[in-house]
Amino acid sequence: MRGKDNARSGGEILIDQLSIHGVRQAFCVPGESYLAALDAFYGSDIDLIVCRHESAAAIMAEAVGKMTGRPGVCFVTRGPGATNASAGIHIARQDSSPMIVFVGQVGRDMRDREAFQELDYRAVFGTVAKWATEIDDPSRIPELISRAFHTACNGRPGPVVIALPEDMLRERVSVADAAAYAPVETWPGQSEMQRLEGLLRDAKRPIVLAGGSRWTEQASAQLLNFAERYALPVATTFRRGHLIDAMHPCYAGDFGIGPNPKLLARVKGADLVLLIGGRFSEMPSQGYSVFSIPEPQTKLVHVHPGADELGRVYHPHLAINAAPTAFCAALDALRPPKEIAWRGESAAAHADFLAWGETATPVPGAVNLGEIMIWLRENLPADAIVTLGAGNFAGWVHRFYRVRKFGGLVGATSGSMGYGLPAALGMQCIYRNRTVVCVAGDGDFLMTGQDFATAVQYELPVIVVVADNGIYGTIRMHQEREYPGRVIATKLRNPDFVAYALAFGGYGAVVEKTADFPAAFAAARASGKPSIIHLKIDPEAITPATTLAAIREKSLAGRR
Ligand SMILES: Cc1ncc(C[n+]2csc(CCOP(=O)(O)OP(=O)(O)O)c2C)c(N)n1
Ligand SMILES: [Mg+2]
């Protein structure tokens, strides 16, 4: 509250700035190091969601940033709070998501004595955050928070970490607020768009890869309109399936881990690749094997909002420093040649995509995750949001689930386990009326499972589908391939996930055969509570295409 002298505490100035910049919810685990900021949330128009672990709070903020394009915000305490939040900060870095993490800090008069839980945040987060700083003077809060919002969003978005000395937050000063930040658009030049038009005129087998951040529903629609006019196949890169309606006739599929071999061949055989927004990093590039580095064997047009990314790994034939939003708007002006050499290719690519995920592959055991994904794609509302963490279970989501509306899939390209539940909570916080389903592995879920309590506390009716195979399946798969039969540190003895859900005050159901899933899902929805559906998966069902035993056998055979 402003005093008679118009002064506010550092904490009050800070929360006022967040409100001015449009923050509507923030996620936190409280700490005595930032009490004055916490107090300033009291009576503010920002919902402050209190979580059980900073990794969950940070992931919730990252997911909000990823999906809205506006920085997600979290508050954590110094030392252990900050290091607990580091997974979310790393995800925001790799996924190019705008995010601002506020960290408590020891008082200014104690700094550099390694006081209680003291860390040097500039050093600790220096290489993972886009910007890490500490605010020493409360009168500079409006300036530095304004910079934080611009830095998190401009160019290639990313995480900003701001340390807040506790006495600085208590100090009262009189200072004017800064105005709300406005996102800075990065437009392509006219001559670049003309060159692109020329390259497309000369191409024989072009393809579009969409990835990265700074997309909107409108940009996605503009891209698809362009793809229709040019009959271009459009694939999404690893964990970016939310960008495109999977049933659009130009959609060619998910180019992530273990992609459709026909899509892989298409990308490798393309003579022009239009990469929009993404970095074509290790996962979509299949271990940097698809294009040679630094000179790709095909003509690469790389469109990216961060100038530093252009030419960083791949030397593009044409580099366009633009955000997908601006670039896709500019696509409207491009005119296709009268004769399109590749006509029919987008339809063929879409048919290949549909065929690849049409029916579930047979797997050992009574619960087939592929059939469950097909049931979800046929029965979830079109605007449902599916979130996922990391593990082999995700392979079934990418192959058999189909996103129908922009933003319908939320995952971490960084492959951070434990992502799905907090991401689902973040989504349910901002989209109260959309159905939110988290698909998790057994190992994956328990990395952030404690925040099921947050779902119950805030009545966020997310439905978590836990694919329990009793193993850290991905690692066991690699183990059987590299060290066949020498199983170590990959077995899991799991809790009863139904009892777990009930103990937290949620709903739980177990599924021991595929046919029981629809009823379990209906009951979970009808309960109106956060729910866990515990799928009993046979550990042999390690991917949609092979079994653990087959991988071990193949590896042993290669050694004989
Ligand atoms: C935070 C984090 N720790 C460890 C890993 C390495 N890792 C990748 S997948 C995986 C196992 C996933 O197990 P689970 O969630 O049970 O899924 P499954 O593979 O069995 O389907 C591990 C340990 C990771 N990606 N992220
Ligand atoms: Mg598992």
Side-chain angles (χ1 to χ4, degrees), residues 392-393 441-444 467-474 492 494:
N392 267 30
F393 69 90
D442 46 340
D444 174 53
D468 174 12
N469 56 3
I471 51 173
Y472 280 134
T474 305
L492 297 173
N494 282 319

Side-chain angles (χ1 to χ4, degrees), residues 158-508:
V160 168
V161 175
I162 301 185
L164 307 165
E166 57 176 83
D167 59 325
M168 184 283 293
L169 287 175
R170 282 195 305 267
E171 189 181 332
R172 296 183 75 83
V173 292
S174 170
V175 63
D177 291 323
Y181 87 105
V184 178
E185 196 52 291
T186 323
W187 291 93
Q190 212 178 11
S191 62
E192 291 163 332
M193 295 309 284
Q194 280 165 358
R195 275 189 68 197
L196 173 61
E197 200 172 44
L199 288 170
L200 281 163
R201 204 179 306 122
D202 298 339
K204 297 278 178 289
R205 290 179 65 82
I207 192 163
V208 178
L209 298 177
S213 60
R214 299 194 62 176
W215 286 87
T216 57
E217 191 161 8
Q218 190 185 9
S220 168
Q222 285 163 330
L223 172 62
L224 290 175
N225 185 292
F226 159 77
E228 277 170 38
R229 287 187 288 117
Y230 272 85
L232 281 168
V234 180
T236 45
T237 59
F238 182 54
R239 299 252 154 95
R240 300 296 190 180
H242 65 283
L243 298 177
I244 305 287
D245 171 1
M247 296 312 284
H248 186 277
C250 292
Y251 188 54
D254 174 65
F255 201 61
I257 300 175
N260 180 350
K262 290 194 172 166
L263 177 58
L264 181 59
R266 232 182 206 95
V267 175
K268 284 186 167 170
D271 64 345
L272 180 69
V273 174
L274 175 53
L275 170 62
I276 309 173
R279 295 182 295 118
F280 213 57
S281 54
E282 183 181 345
M283 292 300 152
S285 70
Q286 316 298 311
Y288 296 107
S289 68
V290 171
F291 302 143
S292 40
I293 296 171
E295 300 296 335
Q297 66 280 23
T298 185
K299 279 186 184 149
L300 173 69
V301 178
H302 193 181
V303 181
H304 202 284
D308 289 351
E309 296 305 323
L310 295 165
R312 174 170 161 186
V313 180
Y314 306 98
H315 179 185
H317 191 77
L318 172 61
I320 301 182
N321 184 200
T325 38
F327 176 77
C328 292
L331 287 172
D332 277 350
L334 263 53
R335 292 287 159 259
K338 281 210 180 63
E339 288 302 314
I340 293 180
W342 59 88
R343 191 165 284 294
E345 265 304 293
S346 55
H350 186 59
D352 288 346
F353 157 71
L354 292 179
W356 173 245
E358 195 54 34
T359 48
T361 51
V363 292
V367 180
N368 186 327
L369 194 50
E371 283 172 20
I372 288 171
M373 289 304 118
I374 290 170
W375 188 87
L376 286 175
R377 86 182 181 210
E378 287 170 355
N379 289 280
L380 286 182
D383 69 348
I385 300 173
V386 171
T387 70
L388 72 172
N392 267 30
F393 69 90
W396 280 271
V397 184
H398 290 304
R399 180 157 168 186
F400 299 107
Y401 185 68
R402 289 175 184 163
V403 177
R404 295 311 315 275
K405 190 170 161 59
F406 183 82
L409 187 71
V410 187
T413 69
S414 71
S416 204
M417 287 170 73
Y419 185 80
L421 175 67
L425 301 183
M427 291 301 96
Q428 196 79 84
C429 281
I430 55 174
Y431 305 116
R432 289 275 173 171
N433 296 321
R434 287 171 79 169
T435 303
V436 180
V437 177
C438 162
V439 184
D442 46 340
D444 174 53
F445 173 68
L446 278 185
M447 283 213 179
T448 47
Q450 74 289 325
D451 271 85
F452 194 72
T454 307
V456 173
Q457 182 162 343
Y458 290 93
E459 298 179 357
L460 302 169
V462 298
I463 300 178
V464 186
V465 178
V466 178
D468 174 12
N469 56 3
I471 51 173
Y472 280 134
T474 305
I475 312 308
R476 174 75 185 274
M477 172 182 76
H478 291 300
Q479 219 160 45
E480 294 289 3
R481 202 187 53 228
E482 305 291 331
Y483 304 97
R486 293 171 64 83
V487 176
I488 182 142
T490 48
K491 277 194 189 141
L492 297 173
R493 181 166 168 179
N494 282 319
D496 172 342
F497 288 107
V498 173
Y500 183 100
L502 298 178
F504 279 83
Y507 175 81

